[in-house]
Amino acid sequence: MNASLKDIAQELKNSNKKVQLIYAFNSTGKTRLSREFKRLIESDDNRDESDESDKVVEKLLYYNAFTEDLFYWDNDIENYSTPRFKIHPNLFTKWIFIDQGQDKNIISHFQNYTNEKLTPHFNEEYINKNNHGEITKVEAFSEVTFSYERGNEEPVNYVKISKGEESLFIWCVFYSVLEQVIEVLNEAEPSDRETNQFDNLEYVFIDDPVSSLDENNLIELAVDLAQLIKKSSDPNLKFIITTHNPLFFNVLFNELSGSKKYFLKKNEDGEYRLEEQRNDSPFSYHLLLKNELEKAIDTGQIRKYHFNFLRNLLEKTATFLGYDHWKELIPVVKVEDREAYVMRINQYSHSSHSDYESYELPDNDKRVLKFLMEQIKKIYDFQKK
């Protein structure tokens, strides 16, 4: 059934399932869905506006792209010789680092995913004077520096970590909080809990924590998250996880066997469909792409992003069959014809526009995509259902 993201957020909220997994292509609207869900939960909060509750975590704890926006690199080489990963100070980060003292757990988790010698250092409060004589107070736990600890007297060499390591560090901040939340809420009697900060928590919404990660880190992160969720014994705490990564989805699918699984799709008219995956095994990504391409061809609704789907299908098939490059699968007689098809596929799959750009394609390009799909299915013998 077609629906708005607000309707889908309501459907997720109404479910009595402990865990709901959602797969969607990039640019479908996963992050917007997390925000709609947040608005929905906040609108249900019946607290009086005059209530000055100091609870940092109310009904929802969530991780999405906006969580990552709390962290950024300070590249002010003029005033700093050391690369600094800055943290936007706010009530939530103050609570994590100062009130809850999660810095040691964060470091431990981060080193487990990366390198035991790669060490984050959180700053203490200090006064900074720049080259123009301006003086500012830098709050504690508002900066992180990274170094490789050698265990000797050599000077510390501070480094700027990779994009993947950045993602892992930010995830470890969230994961350390989630770990504590689950441990506290597993104590059934609120009066026996070490803190009552989480008593009202009902939902944990995690949106795509796997950007820039290699497959090893991705699998390890998925397994750790699944194991942590399985430790949660509080019947009132529910988890919603969305991702565009098929490997991450499939690992969670296998680890969280009792969860409810969905595929979120965006229609041409801007509406959405949340389709439940009722089979007992994870989906095959290449078959999913094949089905989407066939549907587009059958309905005549071929868009630019379908060339990206075609390239992904060729990449997955080439890897499975042992080819060095996906272009070797393109079925043509002349080399120059093959290169022309490769150029056409790359032209659209490397577009600077959104994956879900809906501009019409020239009829000739539609015929090219249809021809290539027909030949690929015939030559490489995809099973007909």
Side-chain angles (χ1 to χ4, degrees):
M1 185 179 77
N2 295 342
S4 67
L5 287 178
K6 184 176 180 179
D7 295 330
I8 291 174
Q10 185 66 59
E11 181 179 344
L12 297 174
K13 180 177 179 294
N14 292 342
S15 174
N16 60 1
K17 275 289 185 180
K18 179 76 172 178
V19 183
Q20 297 179 87
L21 300 178
I22 302 170
Y23 177 84
F25 293 124
N26 258 338
S27 304
T28 302
K30 299 183 302 300
T31 300
R32 294 194 297 276
L33 176 61
S34 74
R35 296 180 72 186
E36 286 293 343
F37 192 86
K38 183 175 185 289
R39 291 192 191 101
L40 183 63
I41 299 304
E42 289 175 344
S43 68
D44 284 349
D45 195 338
N46 294 319
R47 278 191 303 146
D48 190 309
E49 290 186 1
S50 63
D51 182 5
E52 298 295 333
S53 171
D54 62 352
K55 283 187 171 62
V56 179
V57 178
E58 286 290 344
K59 291 185 177 181
L60 173 68
L61 178 65
Y62 83 122
Y63 180 99
N64 66 8
F66 296 98
T67 309
E68 297 188 358
D69 288 343
L70 292 174
F71 301 81
Y72 63 100
W73 283 103
D74 184 346
N75 294 315
D76 186 3
I77 306 300
E78 181 182 355
N79 294 305
Y80 297 107
S81 59
T82 302
R84 297 168 187 267
F85 200 38
K86 305 280 282 188
I87 304 170
H88 283 293
N90 58 38
L91 187 62
F92 186 65
T93 56
K94 175 181 177 295
W95 175 78
I96 293 171
F97 297 117
I98 299 176
D99 298 345
Q100 300 299 314
Q102 285 291 332
D103 51 310
K104 290 183 175 58
N105 288 335
I106 293 166
I107 293 170
S108 176
H109 290 311
F110 177 71
Q111 290 180 326
N112 181 59
Y113 284 123
T114 56
N115 184 312
E116 63 180 9
K117 296 187 182 299
L118 180 55
T119 306
H121 305 274
F122 295 91
N123 71 299
E124 298 180 353
E125 182 182 301
Y126 68 95
I127 301 299
N128 179 58
K129 184 177 181 179
N130 65 20
N131 291 343
H132 303 290
E134 298 169 334
I135 296 175
T136 55
K137 183 175 76 170
V138 180
E139 301 287 343
F141 293 98
S142 62
E143 299 176 348
V144 189
T145 53
F146 298 87
S147 68
Y148 282 95
E149 300 299 310
R150 297 181 175 85
N152 55 32
E153 299 301 319
E154 291 183 30
V156 174
N157 181 27
Y158 291 101
V159 298
K160 186 173 182 178
I161 59 177
S162 70
K163 190 65 178 175
E165 289 165 338
E166 282 179 35
S167 295
L168 284 170
F169 178 79
I170 297 168
W171 169 253
C172 289
V173 173
F174 179 85
Y175 183 86
S176 298
V177 175
L178 181 58
E179 195 173 39
Q180 183 188 13
V181 166
I182 289 175
E183 181 180 346
V184 170
L185 291 182
N186 280 352
E187 189 67 59
E189 290 296 329
S191 58
D192 294 334
R193 293 170 182 168
E194 63 181 69
T195 177
N196 296 114
Q197 286 277 359
F198 316 128
D199 287 359
N200 295 332
L201 185 63
E202 297 177 12
Y203 301 96
V204 176
F205 197 119
I206 300 172
D207 173 38
D208 247 349
V210 295
S211 60
S212 306
L213 300 189
D214 62 33
E215 289 193 354
N216 290 333
N217 284 141
L218 185 151
I219 293 170
E220 189 175 6
L221 188 153
V223 171
D224 288 346
L225 175 59
Q227 294 301 317
L228 184 58
I229 290 173
K230 286 192 281 191
K231 289 179 182 177
S232 173
S233 60
D234 183 353
N236 298 315
L237 185 60
K238 298 180 176 66
F239 299 84
I240 300 169
I241 306 170
T242 66
T243 184
H244 75 284
N245 188 290
L247 178 58
F248 185 71
F249 181 88
N250 283 352
V251 173
L252 289 174
F253 192 116
N254 287 323
E255 293 288 326
L256 299 168
S257 57
S259 60
K260 202 167 188 177
K261 293 91 174 176
Y262 300 103
F263 181 26
L264 177 66
K265 298 183 178 181
K266 184 178 180 181
N267 301 326
E268 294 292 335
D269 60 3
E271 293 285 282
Y272 297 82
R273 298 196 315 279
L274 191 65
E275 298 180 356
E276 185 175 355
Q277 306 298 293
R278 297 185 180 277
N279 57 334
D280 294 327
S281 59
F283 70 80
S284 296
Y285 183 55
H286 64 291
L287 295 180
L288 179 63
L289 292 170
K290 173 177 168 288
N291 292 340
E292 290 296 310
L293 285 164
E294 289 174 335
K295 188 185 302 180
I297 291 168
D298 291 343
T299 61
Q301 299 297 314
I302 301 174
R303 298 292 182 261
K304 288 185 177 182
Y305 65 84
H306 287 114
F307 274 91
N308 195 38
F309 286 7
L310 176 61
R311 178 181 168 134
N312 287 341
L313 176 62
L314 288 167
E315 288 173 342
K316 300 295 180 185
T317 307
T319 299
F320 179 77
L321 295 177
Y323 286 87
D324 291 332
H325 196 281
W326 59 266
K327 70 180 183 181
E328 296 178 57
L329 271 63
I330 295 179
V332 291
V333 176
K334 298 179 182 178
V335 174
E336 54 267 31
D337 290 342
R338 172 173 287 156
E339 292 304 319
Y341 285 132
V342 170
M343 187 179 300
R344 185 70 52 84
I345 294 171
N346 283 336
Q347 173 189 346
Y348 289 128
S349 61
H350 289 160
S351 170
S352 61
H353 298 286
S354 163
D355 285 349
Y356 273 83
E357 183 181 24
S358 59
Y359 294 157
E360 285 286 343
L361 286 173
D363 288 341
N364 187 55
D365 288 352
K366 293 181 180 180
R367 285 193 290 271
V368 166
L369 187 137
K370 182 178 180 180
F371 166 75
L372 289 175
M373 274 300 298
E374 288 174 348
Q375 295 301 308
I376 289 166
K377 287 193 296 181
K378 182 166 67 174
I379 294 172
Y380 301 108
D381 197 25
F382 285 93
Q383 183 176 1
K384 296 181 177 64
K385 291 187 178 181

